[in-house]
Amino acid sequence: MEKDLAYSNPVQRRRAVWNTKDILITGMIGVVFAFVLLAVTFAYFPLAAILGPAYSRITDGIFMIPGLMALYLIRKPGAALISMTIGGLVMLPFSPYGLIGIVWAALAGAECEVPFLAVLYRKYSTLFLMISGSVATILSTLLEYPLYGHAALSIGVQITMLAVSAIGGAIGGILSKLLAESMLKLGLLADYRRSSLDHTYRK
């Protein structure tokens, strides 16, 4: 059974301090997923032409994976924001969105942080990651309204778009945990976060 983290104050204070390994892992996630998100970005255009503006939102959760994954592993405020921003910088020379892509990447990171901030970064269960992914994708879709004129779409299309986006976000939440757990099991993170202070880390 998964349990939420509830550290004592001394441990919480210690966990608030970033170390070199935290920074390296956060950056690594951002860099690696930059190329994954680039592929998804270019695949989205033909997908949107086929499925339409509502059902193509199923891919929204993929864009939240690096942020959610960084938060799950690092468990410190700002992990998603930093990881996503780094990813945006790496994508800059190849992205069709140019400099605005960095802004959107940073916003996506901030959107991932919102649910965790609401619970003071104490919850990391699978269910919470799914909820966080859904919240992040819904926020992202709502922020697009003034830019892309979503309000001009029919109410039915808008509701479907938000619902599909939320489902995509939940899927992204699950995938972020599965990927993080796989990396830990394969030893790719060199037994990261297995100290006595973090004995509840993966519960």
Side-chain angles (χ1 to χ4, degrees), residues 37-95:
L37 298 186
L38 271 173
V40 176
T41 296
F42 285 104
Y44 176 81
F45 297 119
L47 187 65
I50 296 171
L51 299 180
Y55 293 104
S56 59
R57 309 297 304 210
I58 195 66
T59 62
D60 285 1
I62 299 175
F63 290 91
M64 302 301 173
I65 290 177
L68 295 172
M69 190 174 171
L71 280 167
Y72 181 74
L73 288 170
I74 307 301
R75 306 201 171 189
K76 290 183 173 68
L81 178 60
I82 294 171
S83 178
M84 297 290 284
T85 302
I86 290 174
L89 289 168
V90 173
M91 293 170 65
L92 179 60
F94 315 101
S95 174

Side-chain angles (χ1 to χ4, degrees), residues 100-115:
I100 193 66
I102 298 176
V103 177
W104 278 116
L107 283 174
E111 289 154 3
C112 289
E113 299 272 351
V114 170

Side-chain angles (χ1 to χ4, degrees), residues 97-183:
Y97 299 110
L99 289 174
I100 193 66
I102 298 176
V103 177
W104 278 116
L107 283 174
E111 289 154 3
C112 289
E113 299 272 351
V114 170
F116 291 88
L117 177 61
V119 297
L120 302 179
Y121 295 87
R122 292 187 181 187
K123 293 180 181 291
Y124 296 92
S125 67
T126 300
L127 177 60
F128 188 75
L129 284 168
M130 292 173 64
I131 294 172
S132 299
S134 294
V135 170
T137 52
I138 289 174
L139 288 175
S140 179
T141 301
L142 292 175
L143 286 176
E144 292 178 6
Y145 265 67
L147 293 175
Y148 299 112
H150 293 330
L153 299 171
S154 69
I155 296 299
V157 172
Q158 291 184 56
I159 293 174
T160 302
M161 182 171 62
L162 289 169
V164 173
S165 182
I167 293 171
I171 294 172
I174 295 174
L175 291 176
S176 65
K177 180 175 181 180
L178 290 176
L179 288 170
E181 289 291 329
S182 296
M183 291 177 70

